[in-house]
Amino acid sequence: PGEGDLAAILQEYFNDRGVFQGRFTASVRITASFGVAALTEDIGNPAELVNCADKALYVAKESGRNRVVAWGDAQDSGEHQASDQEPGSEVSDGQAGESPLAADTAAVTAGNRGQESEPRDLKQLQSRIAELEDELSYAQTSLTQKDGRDTLTDLPNRLLFYDRVCQALAQGQRYDRTAAIIVLDIDMFQRINDALGFVVGDQLLRKAADRLVEILRSTDTVSLLDDNSASPTVSRTGADEFGILLTDLKDSDMVTWIVKRILDNMSKALEIDGHEIFLTCSVGISLYPHDGDNAEVLMQNANAARYSAKQHLSRNNYAFYSADLNQSSYKHLWFESQLHHALEQGELSLHYQPKINLQTGKVTSMEALIRWNNPKLGFVSPADFIPVAERTGLINEIGEWVTRTACRQARQWVDAGFVDVGVAVNLSALQFRQEDLHERIISTVADSGLDPQLLEVEITESVVMENYDMALRILEELHKAGIHLAVDDFGTGYSSLAYLKYLPLNTLKIDRSFLSGTVPDKQDELIITAIIAMAHSMGLAVVAEGVENNAQKAFLAGLGCDEVQGYLLSKPVPEDAVLALLEKYNSEDLPVSRARIPA
C-alpha cells in the first residue's frame, strides 16, 4: 500500500486519541553500543583514554545498533576496528548469554596489542585502575542518590527533577494552576566531544548549565511568572539534556517567550580553553493539564516534542507537544516492533524483475526486490519500511538476508540450465558503514556456490559520496572477487563525474525519471544520449529503468542502450514464477552470454 493506505490500516489499531486498541504483544528490544579503549603506550593519560573510548562509541552508534567498536592500533591508519554481534545474540529478559562487551573485550585483549607479553606490573596497574574506577563509580552513585544532585553541573538530577514535577502537579491540581515541562538538548554535542575531547565537553556542559540558570533567574524572566511561585527548576536529565519546570503559568505565550529567550542566549559564543564554541539546542514542551496529568506522561510528551523539533525543524528550534505527536510516535514504535519480527516469522520475501538485452532479447539478470507481507498490515511498501529498517539498524540484518536468499535463488537458476542469468541486489548507505561488508558478501556468495560474476551489487551515488574512502575500498575488494558493480538511479544524485573514473564499476543504470512520457522529451533525450556515450567510452554497460512501452524501448535501442528493465517486459515476480519467465525469454538450448562490457 501507499503511504496513505498504510496510515489508514494503522489507524484501525488506534482510537481517535491515538491509544492502541489491541494487545501490544510485540516486545521492545533494547540495543546498546559500546566504545572500548585499552591502556597502551600510545595513550598517555586517563583523559585521553576516556576520549578514545568516547570516539569509539560514536563510531559504534553511527554504524548501527548493537555494535562494539574498539579504538586500537588501526587508528594510525584512520580506521576503526569493529566487532559486530551475530544476529540473534542479543540477551533479553529471561535469557542467559555471554555479554557482548565481555566477548569483544577479550578479543581486544588477546589481539594485536600483544598484551600477553606486557610486563606483570602493567597488568597489575590495569587491574588496580579497574578496581578504583568501580569504587569511584559506587561512591559517586551513592552520593548522587543521597542529595539528588548531578555531580558535574550541581543541578538537580533526573530523579529529583521528577520529584519536583510531581509536587508541582499536586499543587496545580489543588489550586487549578498550569505548569510547563521543557526538555532541552544540545545539538551535535557528540561532535564537540570528538573534536575537542570529553574534558572540554564537560566544561561546556557546566557553562551551559550556568547559562540556563542565569537566564531563568533573570528579572525579566521571573517577572512573567506569578510572584508567589517558586523559582524555575533547571535539572540535568541526561548526558547533554536538561529539564526545566515552570509553574503557575498564566498562559502558554509566556512559555514561548521564555523558550525563545533560552535559545537566543544559549546560541551566544562560549569560550572554553581558547576555543570559541557556538551552541544550538532543540527544545520540546508539554503543558499541564493539557498534555497529561502525571509527571511521567508529561516528561514523555515533552521528549516527543523535542524529537519532533530535532527531526523536522531546523536547529535551534522548539516544538509544543500535540496529540498527533504521541499517536505518530506510538505507531512508529508498534511498526518497528512488527518489523523486528518480520525476518524470524518469515514475512519477508523477494520478487525478481528481469533485465533484458536489447540486442538478443534475452534475460541477462534478475533484480531482487524485497517485499513484506505482515498479517496485520498486509503488503507493506519498501518505501515505508526500508527507512524504518535504516533508522533502527535492522537494515544490516535484512540486507544480509537479501543477499543470501538472492544468491541461493540464482544458484537454482543455474542448476535449472540458465547458467548465464545473474542476480542483482541493492545495498543501503548504512550497510557501507560496516568495514567488513565486502567480507560478508564474498562469504555469502561462496556459501551459496554461485559464480561471483553472476552477482551484481547495485549502489546509489549517495552511498559513494557519504563515505567515499570506505566505499571505494569495499567496492575494490568486491571487484577483485569478481562481483559486478552498478550505480543505480544515475543522474538523480550528486552526478559527480569525477568519482566514476576511480570506482571499479561495470554498469550505469539510468533513472526512470528520464523516461517520463511515451517518448522522452528533447532535454531527456540529450541527457540519456550523453550518459550512454560517456558510459561506453569508459567501458561500462548501460541499463535503462522504467521502460513501459515499445516506443521507449525502440528509442533506447536506437541510442545504443545495452539493457532495459520495466513493466513492458515484466513486473517483479515471486521466486516460484521466475523459471517460467526465464523459459519465455531464454528458451534456446544454448545459454546466452551475459551482455556485460568488461570494466
Side-chain angles (χ1 to χ4, degrees), residues 34-235:
F34 295 89
V36 181
L39 187 62
T40 67
E41 294 180 357
D42 297 331
I43 300 180
N45 56 69
E48 187 179 355
L49 180 68
V50 176
N51 195 31
C52 289
D54 195 47
K55 290 181 178 180
L57 174 61
Y58 179 74
V59 175
K61 293 170 69 175
E62 284 293 299
S63 60
R65 298 191 180 183
N66 262 29
R67 293 289 183 272
V68 180
V69 171
W71 189 273
D73 296 336
Q75 65 179 329
D76 295 332
S77 60
E79 298 177 355
H80 310 299
Q81 300 299 312
S83 175
D84 296 338
Q85 290 182 233
E86 294 297 325
S89 64
E90 302 168 14
V91 180
S92 57
D93 292 343
Q95 294 177 327
E98 182 183 7
S99 166
L101 178 61
D104 285 286
T105 303
V108 171
T109 304
N112 58 11
R113 299 179 186 275
Q115 290 191 0
E116 292 298 329
S117 60
E118 290 178 352
R120 179 178 302 177
D121 56 349
L122 180 56
K123 292 185 177 181
Q124 292 176 345
L125 175 60
Q126 290 175 303
S127 176
R128 183 54 181 155
I129 289 175
E131 293 174 0
L132 290 173
E133 287 177 341
D134 289 341
E135 293 176 10
L136 178 60
S137 176
Y138 176 80
Q140 289 178 331
T141 302
S142 300
L143 179 62
T144 301
Q145 290 176 345
K146 286 180 180 178
D147 63 8
R149 313 294 293 187
D150 172 59
T151 54
L152 178 66
T153 62
D154 199 37
L155 293 176
N157 62 16
R158 185 179 185 87
L159 292 176
L160 183 55
F161 182 71
Y162 181 86
D163 181 67
R164 291 187 177 178
V165 171
C166 291
Q167 294 179 30
L169 299 188
Q171 289 191 355
Q173 186 176 19
R174 184 178 306 162
Y175 300 109
D176 193 23
R177 293 174 178 173
T178 301
I181 310 298
I182 301 172
V183 178
L184 173 151
D185 73 1
I186 299 173
D187 297 326
M188 310 303 289
F189 176 73
Q190 184 60 49
R191 289 196 176 183
I192 297 173
N193 262 354
D194 288 341
L196 304 178
F198 83 97
V199 174
V200 172
D202 285 350
Q203 293 183 53
L204 184 147
L205 289 173
R206 282 193 287 267
K207 289 199 172 186
D210 292 342
R211 183 170 287 184
L212 273 175
V213 172
E214 180 182 352
I215 295 168
L216 291 168
R217 291 181 180 173
S218 63
T219 303
D220 51 353
T221 300
V222 174
S223 64
L224 288 175
L225 306 175
D226 192 308
D227 292 337
N228 297 322
S229 67
S231 299
T233 298
V234 183
S235 167

Side-chain angles (χ1 to χ4, degrees), residues 13-51:
Y13 296 94
F14 299 83
N15 62 24
D16 294 336
R17 293 180 293 110
V19 178
F20 186 65
Q21 300 178 118
R23 179 177 174 82
F24 193 97
T25 57
S27 60
V28 178
R29 294 189 178 183
I30 305 300
T31 60
S33 298
F34 295 89
V36 181
L39 187 62
T40 67
E41 294 180 357
D42 297 331
I43 300 180
N45 56 69
E48 187 179 355
L49 180 68
V50 176
N51 195 31

Side-chain angles (χ1 to χ4, degrees), residues 275-288:
H275 302 287
E276 189 179 40
I277 302 174
F278 293 88
L279 298 181
T280 60
C281 302
S282 296
V283 177
I285 309 158
S286 65
L287 300 175
Y288 169 83

